[in-house]
Amino acid sequence: NAGVTQTPKFQVLKTGQSMTLQCAQDMNHNSMYWYRQDPGMGLRLIYYSASEGTTDKGEVPNGYNVSRLNKREFSLRLESAAPSQTSVYFCASSDGQGRSQPQHFGDGTRLSIL
Amino acid sequence: AQSVSQHNHHVILSEAASLELGCNYSYGGTVNLFWYVQYPGQHLQLLLKYFSGDPLVKGIKGFEAEFIKSKFSFNLRKPSVQWSDTAEYFCAVISNNAGNMLTFGGGTRLMVKP
């Protein structure tokens, strides 16, 4: 079982460049999430999608856009990368948005903006 | 503001020592609580979760956590750590008072010396 798959695993960008991070899950989960992980700050929610066709802002959405392409895929786009967006990005999915559903995480994308 | 606090940022223990990692949250309402672990170079994995019932929950690898509602705490414990427990540990809370979004603490890096 692949679970949650993220591509790429590593990327270096120059300030102002654009980039799309891809995420796909094979668990037939309804809800998907994008987080960023920064030292000492845990994971912060960027955007989430409670179900196919819906997306909502999380705690730190500025500078990002998302697309829930279908039930399996949820992409995160940086239109004009900034050094402050240097981080590790994690995609996650869960079976419903209910409070009792634990989230399953991908391996992360380490993104550096120069 | 609603938040999740992990007061120990770095913990160093010798093998066989006992472990307790603190987690406090400031949410009201009904909460579900989680501990996730991130081994070096890997994605987050669920250690244990509390939804309701017995406030002492047992997870994988000998970990347990106790929910103390009056103290807004959900501390993680393990009687005897092993070198393989070296990882970063994240407490997370989801509350019906916070839009059912999962909020993470800042994480605790545990190093176990052999």
PDB file of all heavy atoms in Angstrom, chain B residues 37-51:
ATOM      1  N   VAL B  37       4.519  10.579  15.911  1.00  0.00           N
ATOM      2  CA  VAL B  37       5.968  10.470  15.998  1.00  0.00           C
ATOM      3  C   VAL B  37       6.554  10.580  14.596  1.00  0.00           C
ATOM      4  O   VAL B  37       5.961  10.104  13.632  1.00  0.00           O
ATOM      5  CB  VAL B  37       6.392   9.137  16.661  1.00  0.00           C
ATOM      6  CG1 VAL B  37       5.899   7.929  15.881  1.00  0.00           C
ATOM      7  CG2 VAL B  37       7.911   9.066  16.825  1.00  0.00           C
ATOM      8  N   GLN B  38       7.690  11.249  14.513  1.00  0.00           N
ATOM      9  CA  GLN B  38       8.392  11.382  13.240  1.00  0.00           C
ATOM     10  C   GLN B  38       9.823  10.899  13.436  1.00  0.00           C
ATOM     11  O   GLN B  38      10.642  11.592  14.057  1.00  0.00           O
ATOM     12  CB  GLN B  38       8.364  12.828  12.757  1.00  0.00           C
ATOM     13  CG  GLN B  38       8.963  13.030  11.376  1.00  0.00           C
ATOM     14  CD  GLN B  38       8.881  14.483  10.925  1.00  0.00           C
ATOM     15  OE1 GLN B  38       8.871  15.396  11.733  1.00  0.00           O
ATOM     16  NE2 GLN B  38       8.814  14.688   9.615  1.00  0.00           N
ATOM     17  N   TYR B  39      10.132   9.701  12.938  1.00  0.00           N
ATOM     18  CA  TYR B  39      11.491   9.185  13.006  1.00  0.00           C
ATOM     19  C   TYR B  39      12.347   9.916  11.974  1.00  0.00           C
ATOM     20  O   TYR B  39      11.829  10.401  10.975  1.00  0.00           O
ATOM     21  CB  TYR B  39      11.498   7.678  12.785  1.00  0.00           C
ATOM     22  CG  TYR B  39      10.750   6.934  13.854  1.00  0.00           C
ATOM     23  CD1 TYR B  39       9.480   6.403  13.610  1.00  0.00           C
ATOM     24  CD2 TYR B  39      11.288   6.786  15.134  1.00  0.00           C
ATOM     25  CE1 TYR B  39       8.774   5.752  14.601  1.00  0.00           C
ATOM     26  CE2 TYR B  39      10.589   6.137  16.129  1.00  0.00           C
ATOM     27  CZ  TYR B  39       9.331   5.625  15.865  1.00  0.00           C
ATOM     28  OH  TYR B  39       8.627   5.000  16.858  1.00  0.00           O
ATOM     29  N   PRO B  40      13.646   9.992  12.208  1.00  0.00           N
ATOM     30  CA  PRO B  40      14.516  10.755  11.307  1.00  0.00           C
ATOM     31  C   PRO B  40      14.308  10.378   9.841  1.00  0.00           C
ATOM     32  O   PRO B  40      14.379   9.210   9.472  1.00  0.00           O
ATOM     33  CB  PRO B  40      15.917  10.386  11.800  1.00  0.00           C
ATOM     34  CG  PRO B  40      15.729  10.071  13.241  1.00  0.00           C
ATOM     35  CD  PRO B  40      14.394   9.405  13.340  1.00  0.00           C
ATOM     36  N   GLY B  41      14.021  11.385   9.027  1.00  0.00           N
ATOM     37  CA  GLY B  41      13.861  11.183   7.604  1.00  0.00           C
ATOM     38  C   GLY B  41      12.557  10.555   7.172  1.00  0.00           C
ATOM     39  O   GLY B  41      12.393  10.213   6.005  1.00  0.00           O
ATOM     40  N   GLN B  42      11.632  10.389   8.118  1.00  0.00           N
ATOM     41  CA  GLN B  42      10.363   9.728   7.786  1.00  0.00           C
ATOM     42  C   GLN B  42       9.183  10.669   7.978  1.00  0.00           C
ATOM     43  O   GLN B  42       9.305  11.767   8.490  1.00  0.00           O
ATOM     44  CB  GLN B  42      10.181   8.473   8.634  1.00  0.00           C
ATOM     45  CG  GLN B  42      11.236   7.406   8.384  1.00  0.00           C
ATOM     46  CD  GLN B  42      10.931   6.128   9.135  1.00  0.00           C
ATOM     47  OE1 GLN B  42       9.779   5.828   9.439  1.00  0.00           O
ATOM     48  NE2 GLN B  42      11.969   5.361   9.440  1.00  0.00           N
ATOM     49  N   HIS B  43       8.022  10.197   7.575  1.00  0.00           N
ATOM     50  CA  HIS B  43       6.822  10.996   7.751  1.00  0.00           C
ATOM     51  C   HIS B  43       6.221  10.760   9.140  1.00  0.00           C
ATOM     52  O   HIS B  43       6.651   9.870   9.869  1.00  0.00           O
ATOM     53  CB  HIS B  43       5.789  10.635   6.669  1.00  0.00           C
ATOM     54  CG  HIS B  43       5.382   9.195   6.684  1.00  0.00           C
ATOM     55  ND1 HIS B  43       5.997   8.237   5.915  1.00  0.00           N
ATOM     56  CD2 HIS B  43       4.434   8.547   7.388  1.00  0.00           C
ATOM     57  CE1 HIS B  43       5.431   7.070   6.126  1.00  0.00           C
ATOM     58  NE2 HIS B  43       4.485   7.232   7.023  1.00  0.00           N
ATOM     59  N   LEU B  44       5.244  11.575   9.480  1.00  0.00           N
ATOM     60  CA  LEU B  44       4.583  11.424  10.771  1.00  0.00           C
ATOM     61  C   LEU B  44       3.747  10.148  10.803  1.00  0.00           C
ATOM     62  O   LEU B  44       3.076   9.799   9.836  1.00  0.00           O
ATOM     63  CB  LEU B  44       3.660  12.610  11.049  1.00  0.00           C
ATOM     64  CG  LEU B  44       4.314  13.838  11.635  1.00  0.00           C
ATOM     65  CD1 LEU B  44       5.054  14.602  10.581  1.00  0.00           C
ATOM     66  CD2 LEU B  44       3.260  14.743  12.302  1.00  0.00           C
ATOM     67  N   GLN B  45       3.796   9.483  11.955  1.00  0.00           N
ATOM     68  CA  GLN B  45       2.989   8.282  12.154  1.00  0.00           C
ATOM     69  C   GLN B  45       2.207   8.440  13.451  1.00  0.00           C
ATOM     70  O   GLN B  45       2.708   9.007  14.423  1.00  0.00           O
ATOM     71  CB  GLN B  45       3.883   7.045  12.268  1.00  0.00           C
ATOM     72  CG  GLN B  45       4.791   6.828  11.085  1.00  0.00           C
ATOM     73  CD  GLN B  45       5.804   5.737  11.368  1.00  0.00           C
ATOM     74  OE1 GLN B  45       5.478   4.695  11.935  1.00  0.00           O
ATOM     75  NE2 GLN B  45       7.042   5.961  10.983  1.00  0.00           N
ATOM     76  N   LEU B  46       1.013   7.917  13.467  1.00  0.00           N
ATOM     77  CA  LEU B  46       0.179   8.007  14.657  1.00  0.00           C
ATOM     78  C   LEU B  46       0.682   7.053  15.741  1.00  0.00           C
ATOM     79  O   LEU B  46       0.867   5.865  15.504  1.00  0.00           O
ATOM     80  CB  LEU B  46      -1.265   7.663  14.297  1.00  0.00           C
ATOM     81  CG  LEU B  46      -2.282   7.790  15.415  1.00  0.00           C
ATOM     82  CD1 LEU B  46      -2.458   9.260  15.811  1.00  0.00           C
ATOM     83  CD2 LEU B  46      -3.621   7.196  14.999  1.00  0.00           C
ATOM     84  N   LEU B  47       0.918   7.593  16.948  1.00  0.00           N
ATOM     85  CA  LEU B  47       1.308   6.781  18.100  1.00  0.00           C
ATOM     86  C   LEU B  47       0.079   6.328  18.881  1.00  0.00           C
ATOM     87  O   LEU B  47      -0.030   5.169  19.255  1.00  0.00           O
ATOM     88  CB  LEU B  47       2.171   7.612  19.042  1.00  0.00           C
ATOM     89  CG  LEU B  47       3.678   7.459  19.041  1.00  0.00           C
ATOM     90  CD1 LEU B  47       4.273   8.318  20.145  1.00  0.00           C
ATOM     91  CD2 LEU B  47       4.110   6.013  19.176  1.00  0.00           C
ATOM     92  N   LEU B  48      -0.783   7.262  19.174  1.00  0.00           N
ATOM     93  CA  LEU B  48      -1.988   6.948  19.924  1.00  0.00           C
ATOM     94  C   LEU B  48      -2.969   8.102  19.810  1.00  0.00           C
ATOM     95  O   LEU B  48      -2.616   9.180  19.355  1.00  0.00           O
ATOM     96  CB  LEU B  48      -1.673   6.639  21.394  1.00  0.00           C
ATOM     97  CG  LEU B  48      -0.788   7.610  22.159  1.00  0.00           C
ATOM     98  CD1 LEU B  48      -1.528   8.839  22.604  1.00  0.00           C
ATOM     99  CD2 LEU B  48      -0.159   6.935  23.375  1.00  0.00           C
ATOM    100  N   LYS B  49      -4.209   7.831  20.245  1.00  0.00           N
ATOM    101  CA  LYS B  49      -5.249   8.834  20.120  1.00  0.00           C
ATOM    102  C   LYS B  49      -6.252   8.672  21.273  1.00  0.00           C
ATOM    103  O   LYS B  49      -6.434   7.575  21.797  1.00  0.00           O
ATOM    104  CB  LYS B  49      -5.970   8.691  18.778  1.00  0.00           C
ATOM    105  CG  LYS B  49      -6.596   7.317  18.574  1.00  0.00           C
ATOM    106  CD  LYS B  49      -7.053   7.112  17.146  1.00  0.00           C
ATOM    107  CE  LYS B  49      -7.643   5.703  16.989  1.00  0.00           C
ATOM    108  NZ  LYS B  49      -7.966   5.372  15.589  1.00  0.00           N
ATOM    109  N   TYR B  50      -6.863   9.779  21.644  1.00  0.00           N
ATOM    110  CA  TYR B  50      -7.929   9.760  22.650  1.00  0.00           C
ATOM    111  C   TYR B  50      -9.167  10.412  22.058  1.00  0.00           C
ATOM    112  O   TYR B  50      -9.108  11.552  21.571  1.00  0.00           O
ATOM    113  CB  TYR B  50      -7.515  10.505  23.919  1.00  0.00           C
ATOM    114  CG  TYR B  50      -8.680  10.660  24.866  1.00  0.00           C
ATOM    115  CD1 TYR B  50      -9.087   9.609  25.680  1.00  0.00           C
ATOM    116  CD2 TYR B  50      -9.405  11.850  24.896  1.00  0.00           C
ATOM    117  CE1 TYR B  50     -10.180   9.746  26.521  1.00  0.00           C
ATOM    118  CE2 TYR B  50     -10.501  11.990  25.735  1.00  0.00           C
ATOM    119  CZ  TYR B  50     -10.883  10.936  26.533  1.00  0.00           C
ATOM    120  OH  TYR B  50     -11.976  11.070  27.349  1.00  0.00           O
ATOM    121  N   PHE B  51     -10.280   9.693  22.132  1.00  0.00           N
ATOM    122  CA  PHE B  51     -11.548  10.262  21.688  1.00  0.00           C
ATOM    123  C   PHE B  51     -12.516  10.392  22.858  1.00  0.00           C
ATOM    124  O   PHE B  51     -13.146  11.430  23.038  1.00  0.00           O
ATOM    125  CB  PHE B  51     -12.188   9.396  20.598  1.00  0.00           C
ATOM    126  CG  PHE B  51     -11.356   9.283  19.356  1.00  0.00           C
ATOM    127  CD1 PHE B  51     -11.422   8.153  18.561  1.00  0.00           C
ATOM    128  CD2 PHE B  51     -10.515  10.310  18.970  1.00  0.00           C
ATOM    129  CE1 PHE B  51     -10.660   8.053  17.410  1.00  0.00           C
ATOM    130  CE2 PHE B  51      -9.751  10.211  17.828  1.00  0.00           C
ATOM    131  CZ  PHE B  51      -9.826   9.078  17.040  1.00  0.00           C
TER     132      PHE B  51
END
